[in-house]
Amino acid sequence: MAVNKVEICGVDTGKLPRMSHQRSMELLTKVKSGDETAREEFIHGNLRLVLSVIQRFTNRGEQLDDLFQVGCIGLIKALDNFDMGHNVRFSTYAVPMIIGEIRRFLRDNSSIRVSRSLRDTAYHAMQVRNRLIDLNGVEPRIEDIAKELGVEESEVVFALDAISDPVSLHEPIFRDDGDAVYIVDQVKDETADDNRWLDSIAISDGLSKLSDRERRILMLRFFNGKTQTEVAKEVGISQAQVSRLEKAALIRMRKFV
């Protein structure tokens, strides 16, 4: 059953309102001035944002009600900490906050235990990171966070790694023109070698059946080990087009190889 067609925490997710950017900005201005009615309307109008985030975690074995409630806490924290002066869309700021809140919930309920001291270091590191972002408007370096905490850089890295959830290579990063771009599409193969494919006569023959552009894309992707983003820049098309052409070319290759 699709998540957006069920009732979660007594809320019919299929009837959640959609809020325009203009209305969102109007309400944000009122919320920051202490208008509780506007605050309630704004939170309710952004529940679809929470719903879209929790869909990433539906395979963790947790109840949707629990994930939704935790996501709402993240939404409220994002609203309380959002600075309109940074000229950033609220959703851009809120999504990482909601994800972070859900990951903390999953981590605290995980059977894989991380030491309390390590969790504390990671928690303080994330607090410092958020404060430095609010202060400078850019992602801080690990050495800046370590300096603020008064610890070694390696300690910060180890602590943050310890609380990070494993991510599938096939997790979508974003969608462009309807085609999903996955993490695996952004991984560069540093060991790529022309001889790995060109030594095969069958594969060489298959490549010869492709168009010049398809052949070039496969050469850049699999022989030169470039990411789809790098190929898109070199060929002069969008990443979504690279993805489609790459998939179509590989399907055609299978007919000849």
Side-chain angles (χ1 to χ4, degrees):
M1 181 180 293
V3 176
N4 60 352
K5 294 182 180 179
V6 300
E7 186 174 289
I8 303 178
C9 296
V11 177
D12 185 348
T13 59
K15 296 181 179 180
L16 288 176
R18 298 180 182 275
M19 181 174 293
S20 68
H21 177 62
Q22 180 179 354
R23 181 55 179 165
S24 177
M25 295 305 294
E26 291 173 356
L27 288 174
L28 274 172
T29 302
K30 293 180 180 180
V31 169
K32 293 304 179 181
S33 65
D35 190 326
E36 290 299 324
T37 302
R39 178 185 174 85
E40 184 176 343
E41 181 183 345
F42 184 86
I43 292 173
H44 185 66
N46 279 278
L47 291 181
R48 280 187 177 274
L49 190 61
V50 176
L51 185 66
S52 68
V53 172
I54 69 171
Q55 291 184 68
R56 306 183 186 190
F57 301 92
T58 54
N59 61 344
R60 304 297 183 91
E62 298 290 340
Q63 293 293 324
L64 287 180
D65 283 7
D66 292 338
L67 294 179
F68 190 73
Q69 290 182 51
V70 174
C72 288
I73 293 174
L75 173 66
I76 293 171
K77 286 184 177 181
L79 176 58
D80 290 340
N81 291 282
F82 184 65
D83 186 349
M84 296 181 66
H86 286 163
N87 195 29
V88 175
R89 280 182 176 269
F90 175 77
S91 58
T92 303
Y93 178 81
V95 167
M97 294 279 284
I98 297 171
I99 291 175
E101 198 67 30
I102 293 175
R103 281 182 171 164
R104 277 191 289 277
F105 168 76
L106 293 174
R107 184 176 66 248
D108 291 343
N109 288 275
S110 173
S111 58
I112 301 176
R113 296 299 176 186
V114 178
S115 71
R116 180 61 182 270
S117 61
L118 209 55
R119 288 204 310 269
D120 287 345
T121 299
Y123 176 71
H124 291 309
M126 288 187 291
Q127 282 189 317
V128 170
R129 171 187 173 274
N130 291 336
R131 180 164 55 78
L132 291 177
I133 289 177
D134 289 340
L135 182 63
N136 303 318
V138 296
E139 184 74 28
R141 298 173 299 177
I142 290 295
E143 62 186 82
D144 297 328
I145 297 175
K147 184 177 180 180
E148 286 281 330
L149 292 175
V151 300
E152 296 292 330
E153 293 178 35
S154 58
E155 188 174 342
V156 174
V157 173
F158 186 66
L160 292 176
D161 282 345
I163 65 169
S164 297
D165 291 327
V167 179
S168 169
L169 286 174
H170 296 283
E171 180 173 325
I173 303 172
F174 64 89
R175 293 181 179 273
D176 185 7
D177 297 334
D179 285 344
V181 176
Y182 300 93
I183 291 177
V184 69
D185 296 327
Q186 302 302 301
V187 177
K188 179 184 291 188
D189 184 1
E190 301 291 351
T191 64
D193 185 344
D194 291 357
N195 294 327
R196 293 165 71 186
W197 279 38
L198 291 179
D199 284 347
S200 170
I201 296 176
I203 292 178
S204 297
D205 183 60
L207 286 170
S208 68
K209 302 295 195 300
L210 303 178
S211 68
D212 290 342
R213 184 161 68 170
E214 289 174 329
R215 187 162 53 251
R216 185 183 180 192
I217 287 173
L218 293 189
M219 293 284 288
L220 291 171
R221 280 284 286 145
F222 300 106
F223 299 161
N224 297 342
K226 292 183 179 293
T227 67
Q228 286 189 346
T229 301
E230 292 170 329
V231 174
K233 291 180 180 179
E234 188 159 334
V235 178
I237 57 179
S238 72
Q239 186 172 20
Q241 288 176 297
V242 170
S243 177
R244 285 195 292 268
L245 289 169
E246 177 186 314
K247 291 173 184 174
L250 290 174
I251 290 173
R252 290 183 60 194
M253 284 281 290
R254 292 191 186 103
K255 296 179 181 179
F256 303 114
V257 178

